[in-house]
Amino acid sequence: MALRQTLGVVIRLADLGEADKIVTLYTPATGQISGIAKGAKRSLKRFVNKLEIFSLLDLEYSDHYRLPIINQAELLNSHLPLREDYHAYTAAALVCELYRLWTHQGDHDQGLFALLNWVLARLQHREGRLESLVLFLARFYRRLGYQPDLSGCVSCRRLDRQAGPFRFQARQGTIVCSHCRPRSSAPGLSIATVRLLGRALELPLDKLSRLRLAPASTREALALFKEHDRVLLDRELAAWNFLGE
Ligand SMILES: [Zn+2]
């Protein structure tokens, strides 16, 4: 039986029968994996306080069976504040749901793993929490290759103050200016929001924290990504509706 070791962040937990749990993780080496933690519900010493949502673990598992068996887990970071605050929890839950839906076993990506740890660390702070979520969403869709095209109005290519406000066309993933489509009912995007998101798509992760979004831009950007997400996944994730503050 092949024993494997990996880092992983718990993105979902489910009960399995009386005693076991199915743990889904995002890992840097194999992408998303789900495994059985035998006896996890009986709080055996090797799992107690470790198999919790958002935890960063160092795992040992055997992949002899179709569903791997998790033998041991070492807790590296519990991200505990995310489980103790409602707003932090809902934002982090949305992030984990996106990883669960967008990633698969085998399509590992070190960048996505680093991004997950980056956003879970940032969401613990009340200050700028939704801003961090916006920056995360920009990088996440960029990494997946599904970033919206914010380079200018899709029709006339303008990207200046006089052309705004812009509208996001979710079906095409593009923006259009108020001159080309004066009667659009889609939520407006100010030029400031469009430019900031454009920069967020380009900046490397270690420079991302430098960007500052005004509350109005944060709201506009969240509305954009919620719509983007709904169109791409062809459904609305419940987690979006619990975001607040
Ligand atoms: Zn235009």
Side-chain angles (χ1 to χ4, degrees), residues 157-173:
R157 300 311 305 159
R158 279 177 73 181
L159 186 64
D160 56 72
R161 200 165 291 280
Q162 288 71 34
F166 294 83
R167 311 280 169 182
F168 181 54
Q169 308 191 106
R171 292 257 152 233
Q172 297 81 22

Side-chain angles (χ1 to χ4, degrees), residues 153-158 163 166 175-181:
C153 169
V154 67
S155 179
C156 70
R157 300 311 305 159
R158 279 177 73 181
F166 294 83
I175 54 171
V176 66
C177 79
S178 57
H179 298 281
C180 294
R181 192 136 323 148

